[in-house]
Amino acid sequence: MRGAAAAAALLALAACAVPSARVEAPTRAAAAPAALPPVKVFPARRPQPPQRSNADIARDFLDLHFRLEGGSTLPQFTRFEGPVTLRVTGSPAPGFSRDLNALLARLRDEAGIPIRRVSGDSAGITIQSVSRAEIRRALPKAACFVVPNVSSLSEYRRNRRSARTNWSLLRSRERLAVFIPNDTSPQEVRDCLHEELAQALGPLNDLYRLPDSIFNDDNIHAVLTGFDMLILRATYAPELRTGMSRAEVAERLPAVLARLNPGGTRTAAVWLPETPRAWIAAYEQALGPSASPRDRLRAANRAAEIARDLGWQDHRRALSHYTLGRMLHVREPELALQHFRTAMSYLRGLPGTRMHQAKLTVQLAAYEIATGNGAAALARLGPAADTAAAHENAALLSTLLMLQAEALELEGRSVEARRVRLDSLGWARYGFGPDWVVEARLEEIAALRPSAP
């Protein structure tokens, strides 16, 4: 399989990962300009409504609200009752207020939640902006997190083992804190805002079976989707209230969803199977930094075997192959490429998986470029870049555009390549942060293109 070994260098990169170190600039003309362009930001968008049945969405709503990630159940429904106030403390990163205000506008407009920012000493939700080191000292594996019944990181530390910060004991939502990093890329800050504020307001659980949601630990989606906004709008529907049991919510939910999402009443249910704890444990060990490379590979194989034995034909089967491909990219790049192609074969035609396909396109287009097939890479990259833009993932979008520039160079379209490469840099500054990271990503992708004979 000619060129697979050359492709391994880029296959090593996640679409949103930060390069670990600087590399030497390539000799051909692909280096970043002396002054990078301004940071680009996405215009206001309204995402597509969910394309699934209300029967499936009702099941998802109940499992999101009445279960926790560890598998325990919650006895009653909770939400904020009445208008929600929010304040910001700490030292917010540049661009934080812009992204927060945009998110609050979406929550009011799309989810119908009466939420507003205040400047006083107290609020229903406090967002504290602190360093990554402070977050890791409080919760070592977290990039950001949300806690009930506290208003600061110091208060959380004092009460971290008490009943008041235990989500399973929560019976009403009156005071919560969200802890967000202030020393990482703008996109990571924004992604944390979306995920943690959504959980502060609504569901506490994440479900791997959801292909079109931020309430999923697979990190496919960066911002709240149309499905997520529907879940939040249903959460604050007047038919529901804090204290209801699962049975009481289940009784009212069909009418709520029929009112909010009438198209879902005419769609047939798919009813994806539950995700077993064995697959979750294997998948999370494969991605976790604490295990050795050998143990991570074994875990990735285990996840793929479980998905196969269960007969899955959905995005989780594809995710299993994608993860295994990432584990194999250095030792067995040809086999890794087979897994990437298998993953794509499961995703084609599946609704709600365009972002999954866009992330896989990074790997598949990298192979095409490394083997000198610019036309094949361009055929993949255009639709994937459109998807990344529609889902506001700047890190993925910039990576796809950098790959597109290299493919254009292969096709002898140097003027277009320079334009696309320059366009990628503004998105990369939002997605990856510091200039040296942007330049390192550009150099790594430029090094993928075969040198002229």
Side-chain angles (χ1 to χ4, degrees):
M1 198 169 291
R2 183 175 62 88
L10 186 63
L11 298 179
L13 300 176
C16 300
V18 174
S20 57
R22 286 297 303 265
V23 296
E24 290 302 315
T27 56
R28 54 184 173 271
L36 294 180
V39 174
K40 288 193 172 187
V41 296
F42 292 100
R45 287 186 173 91
R46 191 172 185 116
Q48 184 183 39
Q51 304 299 299
R52 295 193 280 122
S53 79
N54 282 350
D56 285 328
I57 294 171
R59 174 197 178 203
D60 298 335
F61 184 96
L62 294 170
D63 285 348
L64 285 168
H65 271 286
F66 287 93
R67 291 185 186 177
L68 292 175
E69 290 184 46
S72 59
T73 59
L74 296 171
Q76 67 180 52
F77 176 78
T78 63
R79 70 180 186 191
F80 281 94
E81 298 295 339
V84 183
T85 55
L86 178 148
R87 67 175 184 142
V88 176
T89 64
S91 303
F96 174 91
S97 290
R98 177 197 61 229
D99 286 336
L100 175 59
N101 291 338
L103 175 56
L104 295 179
R106 285 193 62 193
L107 290 169
R108 287 189 292 264
D109 180 42
E110 298 173 43
I113 299 174
I115 185 169
R116 63 185 178 90
R117 186 171 173 178
V118 298
S119 57
D121 294 334
S122 64
I125 299 174
T126 297
I127 297 178
Q128 187 176 14
S129 184
V130 297
S131 69
R132 286 175 291 181
E134 290 178 90
I135 289 175
R136 294 289 170 84
R137 281 196 293 270
L139 205 62
K141 295 182 180 180
C144 45
F145 63 104
V146 57
V147 181
N149 300 314
V150 301
S151 296
S152 68
L153 203 53
S154 59
E155 187 179 4
Y156 168 66
R157 290 194 194 99
R158 292 195 302 270
N159 296 279
R160 62 185 303 172
R161 292 180 177 83
S162 70
R164 64 189 295 186
T165 59
N166 188 332
W167 283 109
S168 64
L169 301 177
L170 186 70
R171 298 297 178 264
S172 65
R173 301 198 198 194
E174 297 170 2
R175 189 166 64 102
L176 294 94
V178 174
F179 304 111
I180 301 291
N182 60 11
D183 54 355
T184 186
S185 71
Q187 177 165 318
E188 186 172 346
V189 174
R190 182 210 60 187
D191 294 357
C192 278
L193 270 176
H194 277 246
E195 182 171 359
E196 304 307 333
L197 187 52
Q199 292 203 308
L201 292 164
L204 303 176
N205 194 12
D206 286 312
L207 297 170
Y208 280 107
R209 72 169 183 260
L210 301 179
D212 53 354
S213 176
I214 205 172
F215 298 118
N216 187 330
D217 278 335
D218 63 10
N219 292 323
I220 294 295
H221 292 278
V223 299
L224 290 164
T225 66
F227 170 88
D228 299 330
M229 286 298 182
L230 175 60
I231 291 294
L232 289 171
R233 183 174 280 276
T235 298
Y236 285 84
E239 296 92 331
L240 306 182
R241 66 179 183 276
T242 293
M244 283 185 169
S245 67
R246 182 178 177 123
E248 290 172 323
V249 172
E251 182 182 358
R252 292 162 176 77
L253 201 51
V256 170
L257 292 175
R259 174 169 59 81
L260 299 179
N261 187 45
T265 62
R266 300 184 294 273
T267 305
V270 175
W271 207 259
L272 291 180
E274 298 285 346
T275 308
R277 294 302 308 175
W279 184 89
I280 294 173
Y283 173 73
E284 292 182 351
Q285 184 180 9
L287 298 181
S290 57
S292 68
R294 178 176 294 181
D295 287 341
R296 292 177 63 202
L297 178 58
R298 287 173 178 166
N301 270 301
R302 194 158 58 247
E305 290 166 359
I306 293 170
R308 178 201 63 202
D309 293 345
L310 291 172
W312 284 348
Q313 302 292 312
D314 57 55
H315 60 284
R316 294 169 296 180
R317 181 79 177 267
L319 193 62
S320 302
H321 285 283
Y322 174 76
T323 305
L324 190 51
R326 295 293 310 286
M327 296 294 103
L328 291 167
H329 74 271
V330 173
R331 287 175 45 190
E332 301 181 70
E334 297 173 2
L335 182 56
L337 181 62
Q338 291 179 28
H339 280 290
F340 294 138
R341 287 173 169 166
T342 300
M344 187 64 86
S345 73
Y346 283 107
L347 293 173
R348 287 194 185 97
L350 282 181
T353 65
R354 289 178 62 200
M355 274 298 290
H356 300 71
Q357 295 179 53
K359 290 200 171 187
L360 259 171
T361 295
V362 171
Q363 312 296 335
L364 297 173
Y367 171 79
E368 302 289 4
I369 292 169
T371 54
N373 196 342
L378 289 172
R380 296 181 184 276
L381 288 165
D386 291 342
T387 295
H391 289 81
E392 301 183 43
N393 191 320
L396 176 59
L397 175 58
S398 65
T399 299
L400 291 165
L401 291 175
M402 289 176 190
L403 287 166
Q404 194 174 68
E406 297 308 316
L408 287 166
E409 295 280 11
L410 284 173
E411 294 298 291
R413 297 157 63 180
S414 298
V415 174
E416 290 177 75
R418 284 193 292 273
R419 177 182 56 78
V420 171
R421 189 176 292 114
L422 184 63
D423 189 33
S424 75
L425 298 177
W427 296 117
R429 293 191 69 196
Y430 185 89
F432 297 117
D435 289 357
W436 74 265
V437 180
V438 175
E439 293 165 5
R441 174 52 54 93
L442 188 68
E443 291 164 5
E444 288 169 319
I445 292 176
L448 183 70
R449 177 164 46 96
S451 300

